[in-house]
């Protein structure tokens, strides 16, 4: 009798992988961020990545991070992944949900997370830990007791191979 696969993705790795996959859609040449919002039934209710606002051409606005003229940087224009995930929700409310994010959220995203009723933040990278924005995020989250934790992946790598199913079917049909 066939037994079940044991190397399947667990829920948390799955949701973080969805966040990372979503980040692949970002046009930001430096930092690609993805976010995935999940409800208490393990259903994905929102996905987002960092990008220019709806209707804005990705070519028309600047992608550079630094410029003497702030208006010529991406900062005032780019929509962050977490905000997009909340705005893209496919249900009435994300109250009580968990957000999986590739990067620990900035203070602006943290405010959106808090106002949307999200109850938990799971992040992968914390490379900007000491930036004032992240210090502010932790201060805000701590103030209201929203837990945040770094994701420790069970699988270090998740590979997406579009040919995998055909390869598998080919090998089983010749067995
Ligand atoms: O909470 C966050 C923080 C940042 N982002 C996005 C915004 C930008 O597109 C990049 C950060 O660019 P840097 O050049 O590394 O400053 O990440 C986000 O989506 N969510
Ligand atoms: Zn942000």
């Amino acid at each position: 009798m066939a037994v079940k696969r044991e190397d399947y993705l667990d829920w948390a790795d799955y949701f973080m992988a969805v966040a990372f996959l979503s980040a692949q859609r970002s046009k930001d040449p430096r930092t690609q961020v993805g976010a995935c919002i999940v409800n208490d039934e393990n259903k994905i209710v929102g996905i987002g990545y960092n990008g220019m606002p709806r209707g804005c051409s990705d070519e028309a606005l600047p992608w550079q991070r630094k410029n003497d003229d702030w208006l010529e940087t991406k900062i005032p224009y780019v929509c962050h992944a977490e905000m997009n995930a909340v705005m893209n929700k496919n249900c009435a409310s994300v109250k009580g949900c968990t957000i999986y994010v590739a990067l620990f959220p900035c203070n602006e995203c943290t405010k959106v997370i808090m106002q949307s009723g999200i109850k938990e933040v799971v992040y992968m990278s914390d490379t900007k830990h000491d930036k004032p924005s992240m210090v502010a995020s932790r201060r805000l989250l701590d103030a209201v007791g929203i837990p945040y934790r770094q994701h420790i992946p069970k699988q270090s790598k998740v590979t997406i191979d579009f040919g995998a199913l055909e390869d598998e079917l080919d090998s089983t049909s010749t067995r």
Side-chain angles (χ1 to χ4, degrees), residues 59-95:
E59 282 76 38
L61 293 166
W63 280 111
Q64 59 193 333
R65 187 169 177 247
K66 288 194 174 129
N67 189 291
D68 291 342
D69 182 357
W70 182 72
L71 289 172
E72 289 308 316
T73 72
K74 64 186 170 184
I75 297 166
Y77 310 112
V78 72
C79 299
H80 290 193
E82 299 89 327
M83 185 189 75
N84 279 334
V86 171
M87 298 304 291
N88 291 341
K89 66 181 184 294
N90 58 14
C91 55
S93 167
V94 292
K95 190 171 177 199

Side-chain angles (χ1 to χ4, degrees), residues 9 28 32-34 38-39 46 49 55 68-69 81 106 108 112 120 127 132 135-136 138 159 161 171-172:
L9 273 182
D28 190 321
Q32 301 84 40
V33 187
V38 179
N39 72 13
Y49 59 87
D68 291 342
D69 182 357
C106 75
E108 293 300 328
V112 172
E120 186 186 21
T127 49
V135 176
R138 290 193 296 275
T159 307
D161 175 355
S171 70
T172 50

Side-chain angles (χ1 to χ4, degrees), residues 58-159:
D58 290 317
E59 282 76 38
L61 293 166
W63 280 111
Q64 59 193 333
R65 187 169 177 247
K66 288 194 174 129
N67 189 291
D68 291 342
D69 182 357
W70 182 72
L71 289 172
E72 289 308 316
T73 72
K74 64 186 170 184
I75 297 166
Y77 310 112
V78 72
C79 299
H80 290 193
E82 299 89 327
M83 185 189 75
N84 279 334
V86 171
M87 298 304 291
N88 291 341
K89 66 181 184 294
N90 58 14
C91 55
S93 167
V94 292
K95 190 171 177 199
C97 291
T98 297
I99 188 164
Y100 288 79
V101 277
L103 184 67
F104 186 80
C106 75
N107 63 307
E108 293 300 328
C109 289
T110 296
K111 288 186 273 184
V112 172
I113 288 168
M114 292 167 78
Q115 295 304 79
S116 71
I118 284 173
K119 67 151 197 340
E120 186 186 21
V121 177
V122 183
Y123 60 94
M124 191 77 218
S125 165
D126 195 19
T127 49
K128 302 187 181 203
H129 184 91
D130 296 326
K131 293 258 160 64
S133 170
M134 311 303 157
V135 176
S137 290
R138 290 193 296 275
R139 186 173 179 178
L140 285 167
L141 294 169
D142 290 342
V144 295
I146 294 180
Y148 48 92
R149 60 185 164 82
Q150 190 159 33
H151 178 60
I152 312 291
K154 294 233 168 47
Q155 300 195 20
S156 63
K157 202 181 251 188
V158 176
T159 307

